[in-house]
Amino acid sequence: MKRRDGYFGSFGGAYVPEGLKVALGEVEESFYKHIEDQDFLAELAYYQKQYIGRENPLYFAERLSKEIDGAKIYLKREDLNHTGAHKINNAIGQVLLAKRMNKRRIIAETGAGQHGVATATVCALFDIECTIYMGEIDTERQALNVFRMEMLGAKVVPVKGGTRTLKDAVDAALQDYICNASDTFYLLGSAVGPHPYPTMVREFQSIIGQEARRQILEAEGRLPDYLVACVGGGSNAIGLFHPFINDEKVKIIGVEPAGKGLETGEHAASISMGSIGVIHGFKCYTLQDKYGEPLPVHSIAAGLDYPGVGPEHSYYNEIGRGEYVSITDKEALKAFFQLSKTEGIIPALESAHAIAYAIKLAKELTKQEIIIVNLSGRGDKDVEQVKKLMG
Ligand SMILES: *Cc1c(COP(=O)(O)O)cnc(C)c1O
């Protein structure tokens, strides 16, 4: 794999304190070495198949397509992975790397708890000590996920400083990393953060697009017209998109959360509504105040609730390779029910954003056209929240 400096156009990079540069350099070194190493790739392939349950299907949503009466919609079934979403693809990749680097301890931060659970899961699997930082308010809001992580053997540290949410959890995790980098690996959950994380996470998630490409060629004998995926930090989307980047006829659409409406300010649409800035060690489109501090964000889907976006998406937006649109809470909720009723598949609220946009798009297209939607996760985790919203 060609080694790069971590920039996608002017986005990305590593805006970090001196104390982190050496540690990040070591991760970078190890990543580029192992991603070409046959033993490492064979071990990764083993766990993808035997533990995650890959490959998962590319499912033709025939009833949904019929009901819309437009383009054919295929769903990439990341919801069928062990632990119910795409996050485990990345967690497995990074834990295998941590093992090769002889790190005895893994740390991570989590907001809603989904990345914390994926991290605790792979640490249990490999018997590695695991500490998860989580804002104190989030530990209260997501008590069940805290319990899940503890069941898996992780230590969950409630962060009491600042706003007591994700941003403060990130700060606490970085502080820990600066102090303990010699024996600790920082397992980052999305295609964000300083180099080499956006590239590394994209590589571990690209299995999604690699499989989808093979599967659509087998099913239809040609490539799709559109790829659609929801964008929080951007890892499930870049995982689907990347293997198609050089296929210029395949249009790429990332769906951001418009929350209660772009005009209300209560959203997390970093590309649609943000400006260029530095957040958590990298340059991207971000929702920031006039001092460059991240703004509070909102989405019905906790996993999309992030005031920045991966640098590679920022770049594809800038050069026009990708189109970035948004879907409101309400539209996502409608798609959540529509997919459940037509296909018997309850999507994660995050994924429902991608479904909602694909439904709109399919209506405008002919029956010959093909859309692949990344169904990034299953909705079991959201059923209680949706019930409350409806009640
Ligand atoms: C975390 C999460 C997302 C958002 O993260 P990305 O890095 O943008 O993929 C999307 N869908 C599900 C199911 C998630 O758990």
Side-chain angles (χ1 to χ4, degrees):
M1 204 185 129
K2 203 169 142 231
R3 196 146 169 174
R4 304 185 31 170
D5 55 5
Y7 278 93
F8 303 88
S10 63
F11 299 101
Y15 299 79
V16 295
E18 255 344 281
L20 273 185
K21 290 207 167 126
V22 174
L24 289 176
E26 242 179 72
V27 176
E28 181 187 0
E29 194 66 38
S30 174
F31 166 66
Y32 281 105
K33 178 173 153 214
H34 287 108
I35 204 70
E36 312 245 277
D37 177 73
Q38 289 314 311
D39 278 352
F40 180 84
L41 293 174
E43 196 179 9
L44 180 61
Y46 173 83
Y47 286 102
Q48 285 170 335
K49 177 161 191 248
Q50 301 295 342
Y51 191 70
I52 299 178
R54 305 198 74 95
E55 77 179 26
N56 57 42
L58 179 70
Y59 169 72
F60 174 39
E62 192 172 357
R63 272 207 66 210
L64 179 67
S65 303
K66 225 175 231 157
E67 186 170 278
I68 297 164
D69 198 28
K72 280 178 144 177
I73 295 181
Y74 280 84
L75 304 174
K76 184 57 179 156
R77 298 290 308 273
E78 293 301 303
D79 62 314
L80 294 178
N81 295 341
H82 176 49
T83 68
H86 68 291
K87 285 196 171 72
I88 193 84
N89 300 328
N90 170 54
I92 282 279
Q94 287 194 45
V95 79
L96 290 175
L97 200 62
K99 255 186 19 155
R100 302 272 165 138
M101 292 174 74
N102 294 317
K103 303 294 183 188
R104 58 159 201 95
R105 177 172 179 264
I106 282 182
I107 60 170
E109 84 294 326
T110 194
Q114 287 146 248
H115 174 55
V117 170
T119 303
T121 298
V122 298
C123 287
L125 177 63
F126 290 102
D127 190 22
I128 295 181
E129 188 186 317
C130 178
T131 302
I132 306 290
Y133 289 94
M134 194 167 181
E136 193 178 34
I137 291 183
D138 291 333
T139 61
E140 289 158 11
R141 280 196 290 220
Q142 303 287 341
L144 202 60
N145 271 340
V146 173
F147 185 64
R148 236 179 229 128
M149 288 181 256
E150 288 170 349
M151 270 176 58
L152 293 161
K155 182 175 152 205
V156 179
V157 181
V159 179
K160 298 176 197 294
T163 57
R164 297 182 292 148
T165 57
L166 179 62
K167 175 181 175 297
D168 312 288
V170 174
D171 291 339
L174 283 174
Q175 201 48 50
D176 178 321
Y177 193 38
I178 290 172
C179 297
N180 301 301
S182 61
D183 68 350
T184 297
F185 186 93
Y186 190 164
L187 207 161
L188 225 159
S190 189
V192 298
H195 181 63
Y197 284 98
T199 301
M200 190 157 76
V201 174
R202 180 249 282 157
E203 283 305 297
F204 291 139
Q205 291 293 2
S206 286
I207 184 79
I208 302 172
Q210 287 158 10
E211 287 179 5
R213 202 169 194 289
R214 210 163 51 229
Q215 291 167 314
I216 198 71
L217 286 173
E218 197 177 305
E220 294 280 350
R222 70 173 183 92
L223 294 178
D225 299 288
Y226 292 88
L227 302 173
V228 178
C230 66
V231 176
S235 70
N236 86 87
I238 207 69
L240 175 66
F241 297 168
H242 195 261
F244 294 89
I245 278 299
N246 295 324
D247 302 302
E248 280 165 31
K249 286 198 179 135
V250 179
K251 295 179 209 62
I252 282 169
I253 302 181
V255 185
E256 297 193 304
K260 295 181 180 168
L262 294 180
E263 70 290 349
T264 65
E266 290 189 61
H267 58 75
S270 307
I271 292 182
S272 308
M273 300 301 282
S275 51
I276 295 172
V278 172
I279 174 177
H280 299 148
F282 69 107
K283 193 180 274 185
C284 64
Y285 291 101
T286 165
L287 298 163
Q288 54 188 335
D289 66 17
K290 60 181 177 187
Y291 306 106
E293 287 294 315
L295 284 168
V297 283
H298 163 83
S299 168
I300 192 175
L304 301 181
D305 212 340
Y306 182 66
V309 62
E312 198 164 352
H313 290 294
S314 300
Y315 177 60
Y316 293 151
N317 177 68
E318 189 182 61
I319 63 171
R321 179 63 187 94
E323 185 188 352
Y324 293 83
V325 299
S326 63
I327 283 291
T328 63
D329 289 354
K330 238 187 215 157
E331 293 172 310
L333 204 53
K334 193 172 160 221
F336 178 89
F337 285 111
Q338 193 173 353
L339 188 67
S340 300
K341 290 208 172 107
T342 54
E343 296 288 352
I345 298 172
I346 303 175
L349 282 172
E350 291 83 1
S351 322
H353 286 71
I355 303 288
Y357 189 80
I359 289 172
K360 270 198 207 176
L361 176 65
K363 284 181 186 160
E364 310 289 315
L365 303 175
T366 66
K367 290 199 175 100
Q368 281 71 50
E369 285 169 289
I370 300 168
I371 304 173
I372 295 180
V373 184
N374 203 11
L375 193 61
S376 55
R378 59 175 169 247
D380 305 38
K381 68 180 179 58
D382 299 319
V383 169
E384 205 180 309
Q385 184 191 347
V386 170
K387 178 163 179 280
K388 271 193 202 138
L389 285 169
M390 302 316 284

